[in-house]
DNA sequence: CTAGGATCCTGTCAGC
DNA sequence: TGCTGACAGGATCCTA
């Protein structure tokens, strides 16, 4: 799924299209993908679009919210009713990369359609792991995912991060970074990139990470995600920034993710792909110890 | 409590 | 061509 930088890119994009707009009809094409009562938000104006970790919150003026979690393959695609040019600033698509960004919608992967006066917002999700959940804003803090969500890297000190690692001495560093209860926002791309930044092998036991390495891991988590947000997320976004560029983190900035067999920029070693914590994992054996 | 594996679901790709 | 298994930018559930 989109990780924190992609969800933040989506948040910024959707704010532009949804804030102050009244939601019309909600069409649920897949019951599994929509939790709660859509009538509680139909006809209500969007107040704000927020983000908590990888979860998106579309708040309405009646104090209800639609929480969106894209999981692995979710996409949010805004189609203007009056501008058919998908490349123009009036259209937007982001999330898991696929031809859906340019496809006729709705299609077989469309799970929910949210209709507004000037456009339609399509929630597409190939694997149906994602969902939209309608609930009162004041109950968001009690939601199972939100309630146990750890701090984002910018919200923790080196000491906080070190203590957190210390609670999971036997687990591989990457498994610890991926668990949203420990630290919010990292997924498979940015966990690998953070480990590279710190020079730490993703399969090292968290308990064996030195204080200096821990500091670099936290710094890496912040920097790789900041860099990605600044570049509009990974290649999955067709969202165009004011300067006309689109999300290009993977090609421009990723050092190890999907670069197996290529040369490490830092030491010239060959990047390898293995399996850690049940996930495809990329690192440089030359400079990650 | 932690750690690790299976599981949810659809689609694609490599290998026979 | 058709089949099979592995894998996928996530998180939860179950077991030990």
């Amino acid at each position: 799924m989109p990780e924190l930088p992609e969800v933040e890119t989506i948040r910024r994009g959707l704010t532009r299209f949804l804030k102050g707009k009244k939601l019309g009809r909600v069409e649920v094409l897949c019951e599994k993908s929509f939790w709660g009562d859509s009538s509680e938000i139909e006809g209500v104006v969007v107040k704000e679009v927020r983000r908590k970790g990888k979860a998106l919150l579309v708040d309405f003026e009646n104090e209800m919210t639609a929480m969106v979690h894209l999981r692995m393959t979710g996409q949010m695609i805004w189609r203007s009713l009056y501008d058919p040019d998908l490349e123009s600033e009036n259209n937007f698509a982001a999330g898991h990369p696929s031809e859906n960004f340019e496809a006729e919608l709705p299609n077989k992967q469309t799970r929910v359609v949210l209709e507004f006066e000037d456009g339609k917002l399509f929630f597409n999700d190939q694997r149906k792991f994602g969902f939209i959940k309608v609930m009162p804003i004041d109950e968001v803090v009690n939601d199972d995912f939100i309630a146990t969500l750890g701090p984002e890297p910018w919200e923790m000190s080196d000491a906080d991060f070190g203590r957190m690692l210390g609670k999971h001495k036997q687990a591989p560093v990457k498994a610890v970074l991926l668990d949203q209860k420990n630290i919010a926002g990292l997924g498979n791309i940015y966990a690998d990139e953070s480990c590279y930044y710190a020079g730490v092998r993703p399969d090292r036991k968290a308990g064996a990470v030195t204080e200096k390495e821990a500091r670099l891991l936290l710094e890496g988590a912040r920097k790789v995600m900041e860099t990605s947000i600044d570049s509009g997320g990974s290649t999955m976004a067709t969202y165009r920034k004011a300067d006309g560029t689109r999300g290009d983190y993977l090609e421009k900035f990723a050092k190890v993710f999907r670069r197996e067999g290529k040369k490490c920029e830092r030491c010239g070693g060959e990047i390898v792909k293995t399996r850690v914590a049940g996930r495809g994992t990329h690192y440089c054996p030359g400079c990650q110890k």
Side-chain angles (χ1 to χ4, degrees):
Chain A
M1 148 196 175
E3 306 176 34
L4 186 151
E6 288 71 43
V7 179
E8 176 60 19
T9 296
I10 294 171
R11 188 194 69 76
R12 294 178 186 185
L14 289 187
T15 294
R16 200 151 56 85
F17 297 106
L18 304 188
K19 190 170 179 175
K21 303 270 187 67
K22 186 196 282 184
L23 174 63
R25 198 165 76 99
V26 175
E27 192 177 1
V28 177
L29 302 175
C30 175
E31 294 294 332
K32 182 183 193 293
S33 305
F34 194 92
W35 306 353
D37 184 355
S38 62
S39 72
E40 294 186 299
I41 53 174
E42 283 168 320
V44 186
V45 172
V46 174
K47 185 169 66 176
E48 194 179 0
V49 186
R50 292 182 293 147
R51 182 185 59 71
K52 292 276 184 193
K54 302 178 194 174
L56 202 62
L57 294 158
V58 181
D59 290 349
F60 290 83
E61 289 188 342
N62 64 349
E63 299 306 308
M64 296 295 291
T65 193
M67 177 171 144
V68 183
H69 203 310
L70 277 48
R71 293 281 180 97
M72 292 280 263
T73 55
Q75 303 168 312
M76 296 299 262
I77 306 172
W78 172 265
R79 289 285 169 86
S80 164
L81 289 183
Y82 59 86
D83 186 349
D85 179 6
L86 299 184
E87 298 287 307
S88 86
E89 60 179 15
N90 294 316
N91 288 288
F92 173 89
H96 183 73
S98 86
E99 62 278 8
N100 283 337
F101 291 166
E102 287 87 36
E104 190 84 13
L105 295 176
N107 63 20
K108 66 180 172 190
Q109 293 181 353
T110 305
R111 309 306 176 199
V112 182
V113 186
L114 303 166
E115 299 181 358
F116 290 82
E117 304 107 283
D118 58 340
K120 292 186 181 185
L121 181 62
F122 296 90
F123 172 55
N124 269 40
D125 184 20
Q126 177 188 114
R127 293 173 75 177
K128 300 186 183 175
F129 292 165
F131 57 85
I132 297 177
K133 178 178 177 182
V134 174
M135 66 185 132
I137 290 176
D138 62 15
E139 282 181 21
V140 168
V141 291
N142 302 320
D143 175 84
D144 287 345
F145 177 74
I146 301 294
T148 57
L149 192 61
E152 297 192 1
W154 305 276
E155 299 167 340
M156 348 177 52
S157 66
D158 290 341
D160 293 335
F161 185 76
R163 269 192 296 275
M164 185 275 288
L165 284 182
K167 283 202 291 189
H168 305 274
K169 290 191 193 311
Q170 296 305 312
V173 169
K174 176 159 176 182
V176 176
L177 295 179
L178 285 177
D179 190 336
Q180 304 299 297
K181 294 175 173 58
N182 300 328
I183 180 168
L186 296 167
N188 213 30
I189 297 177
Y190 304 108
D192 281 1
E193 295 298 324
S194 300
C195 288
Y196 176 84
Y197 181 94
V200 173
R201 276 176 60 130
D203 58 352
R204 276 267 294 288
K205 296 250 191 256
V209 170
T210 66
E211 203 171 309
K212 182 184 177 193
E213 287 170 334
R215 190 164 49 71
L216 289 172
L217 279 168
L218 181 59
E219 184 175 292
R222 291 175 182 157
K223 289 205 170 166
V224 298
M225 292 204 289
E226 282 165 1
T227 300
S228 185
I229 290 170
D230 289 346
S231 71
S234 299
T235 46
M236 51 179 48
T238 60
Y239 168 61
R240 285 177 180 263
K241 296 183 287 182
D243 63 2
T245 58
R246 61 171 80 199
D248 54 7
Y249 176 83
L250 281 186
E251 309 92 274
K252 281 195 181 166
F253 301 106
K255 307 296 186 197
V256 288
F257 193 81
R258 287 189 194 149
R259 297 194 75 249
E260 60 268 32
K262 295 189 174 151
K263 261 174 74 175
C264 168
E265 285 179 18
R266 191 162 56 195
C267 77
E270 185 177 317
I271 293 159
V272 299
K273 181 175 181 185
T274 59
R275 216 159 175 81
V276 177
R279 309 292 302 277
T281 297
H282 315 72
Y283 70 95
C284 173
C287 55
Q288 288 177 261
K289 304 298 179 189

